[in-house]
Amino acid sequence: MSKQYLTVHTVDNAHVTDIFSLAVTPTQIISASGSSSLKIHSTTESDFPLIKSLEHVHKLGCHHVVVSKNGGKGASIGFGGEAKVWTISEHGDWVEEGAIVDGNKAGEMWAIALSENGQYLASTTYDGRINVWDTIADRTKIREYETKGSFGMCIDLSLDGRLTASGHENGSVYVFNNDTGRMVHSLLGLVKPVRAVAFSPGGKLLASAGDARTIALHDVASGEQVANFTGHAAWIMSLDWSFMGEYLLSGAFDGKAKVWSIDQRTCVATHSASDKTIWSVKWLPKTGKTELFAIAGGNRSLSFFREATGG
């Protein structure tokens, strides 16, 4: 059964360069690009107005921005290697809480992810190491995992912060237990560079995708591959699970975004805002029956889609 999504609004030229990363809170969407600022738009109003621009945050631009699921903590990584941690002030503004210092060379921290409450921050490096930091305990590094030295292109934390998953340039996907400090799984199935990994909200499934143009679903407990989604004609750059884990959203290098039904194991919708690369896709928190998602990338705009059957 297919689903239909309608374009509800597009913020044209939201940034002056490609938008590389999106993060969402219950009321906002934050975007990062090759420019030095982070832009914050409201998601509670129909025209998604710009409510704040954090200027001169990353001098050379920002390639990753993330926000904890509870919306209280954020983090961003610049092309110059600087890593900043953000928090919501009592007035509701994003303020810089501090920096993570770990050599701070370009590539020393690449992809990042936050646990649900924002306490744990995981990051990849250019040489395949995976680090986990405690943002409450003075941003102290609490875990460092070694892999086979391949560039860590993507990372995710399970909502409870217990598991870290990473995807690498050589096609490897690893799952680590942060409680024990041990590798749980070395997953097979993609071979080519992995550009996105994402735990389902319940933590039972792990989705991974990249240059192989397919999405692999693995059972987190057993490590077994349980599904393989095909249909993209280009590299898959980004993945995101819907709030209840019923659907998986993917964005690709050719500007196509797809919605996949986990129950049906099939694509139920395909959309595009342009033929430019989609660098990031995000579901917005569900309000009532309405389900929206956002895509951004090479066209420098933010495009929002709503389920046609939503109330």
Side-chain angles (χ1 to χ4, degrees):
M1 177 180 172
S2 63
K3 293 167 71 73
Q4 185 65 38
Y5 290 85
L6 308 173
T7 305
V8 291
H9 191 72
T10 297
V11 180
D12 291 318
N13 299 312
H15 287 258
V16 296
T17 66
D18 285 26
I19 299 171
F20 294 118
S21 187
L22 298 173
V24 296
T25 77
T27 60
Q28 302 170 344
I29 185 165
I30 305 171
S31 53
S33 72
S35 64
S36 62
S37 61
L38 299 178
K39 301 291 183 72
I40 303 172
H41 286 78
S42 170
T43 56
T44 61
E45 300 175 55
S46 60
D47 59 346
F48 301 90
L50 178 69
I51 56 176
K52 184 78 172 180
S53 182
L54 302 176
E55 301 293 342
H56 311 299
V57 173
H58 295 287
K59 185 177 180 180
L60 300 180
C62 175
H63 51 77
H64 284 88
V65 62
V66 294
V67 171
S68 59
K69 193 68 85 173
N70 67 4
K73 185 89 72 171
S76 57
I77 307 287
F79 282 100
E82 66 282 353
K84 299 187 176 185
V85 178
W86 304 84
T87 191
I88 291 283
S89 72
E90 59 184 20
H91 302 296
D93 295 322
W94 284 102
V95 294
E96 188 178 335
E97 184 179 82
I100 291 178
V101 180
D102 187 40
N104 288 96
K105 298 175 184 177
E108 192 63 33
M109 293 183 71
W110 185 252
I112 50 174
L114 279 166
S115 60
E116 182 175 26
N117 63 2
Q119 180 174 359
Y120 301 109
L121 173 70
S123 67
T124 66
T125 69
Y126 68 94
D127 59 0
R129 286 173 290 120
I130 311 299
N131 298 312
V132 183
W133 317 79
D134 190 327
T135 66
I136 294 177
D138 296 321
R139 298 172 293 282
T140 303
K141 185 191 293 186
I142 58 172
R143 293 290 185 200
E144 181 170 338
Y145 303 114
E146 295 285 345
T147 63
K148 293 183 178 180
S150 178
F151 175 37
M153 304 183 78
C154 52
I155 197 163
D156 197 23
L157 275 169
S158 59
L159 286 185
D160 58 11
R162 289 186 59 247
L163 299 174
T164 299
S166 62
H168 297 259
E169 190 174 21
N170 65 0
S172 298
V173 175
Y174 301 108
V175 179
F176 303 92
N177 185 310
N178 297 325
D179 292 336
T180 64
R182 296 178 179 275
M183 183 186 294
V184 181
H185 300 299
S186 175
L187 304 177
L188 304 174
L190 288 175
V191 183
K192 296 182 179 180
V194 179
R195 298 179 183 270
V197 290
F199 284 105
S200 64
K204 294 183 178 181
L205 296 172
L206 178 72
S208 57
D211 293 10
R213 306 178 185 182
T214 63
I215 301 170
L217 276 190
H218 285 86
D219 180 279
V220 173
S222 67
E224 293 183 9
Q225 185 169 338
V226 295
N228 193 48
F229 295 162
T230 60
H232 273 294
W235 298 349
I236 300 168
M237 313 302 292
S238 182
L239 295 172
D240 194 43
W241 291 85
S242 63
F243 180 74
M244 295 299 291
E246 298 169 282
Y247 299 100
L248 184 66
L249 177 63
S250 59
F253 193 77
D254 61 357
K256 294 288 194 301
K258 289 181 179 289
V259 179
W260 308 84
S261 167
I262 301 305
D263 285 342
Q264 298 174 40
R265 298 286 200 263
T266 188
C267 176
V268 293
T270 300
H271 290 280
S272 64
S274 76
D275 59 356
K276 303 287 187 180
T277 300
I278 295 175
W279 292 110
S280 188
V281 296
K282 282 290 176 186
W283 290 100
L284 273 57
K286 194 169 185 177
T287 55
K289 294 182 179 179
T290 305
E291 204 165 24
L292 292 92
F293 65 82
I295 65 175
N299 70 345
R300 307 175 182 181
S301 302
L302 300 174
S303 297
F304 298 90
F305 297 82
R306 176 180 59 82
E307 187 181 354
T309 56

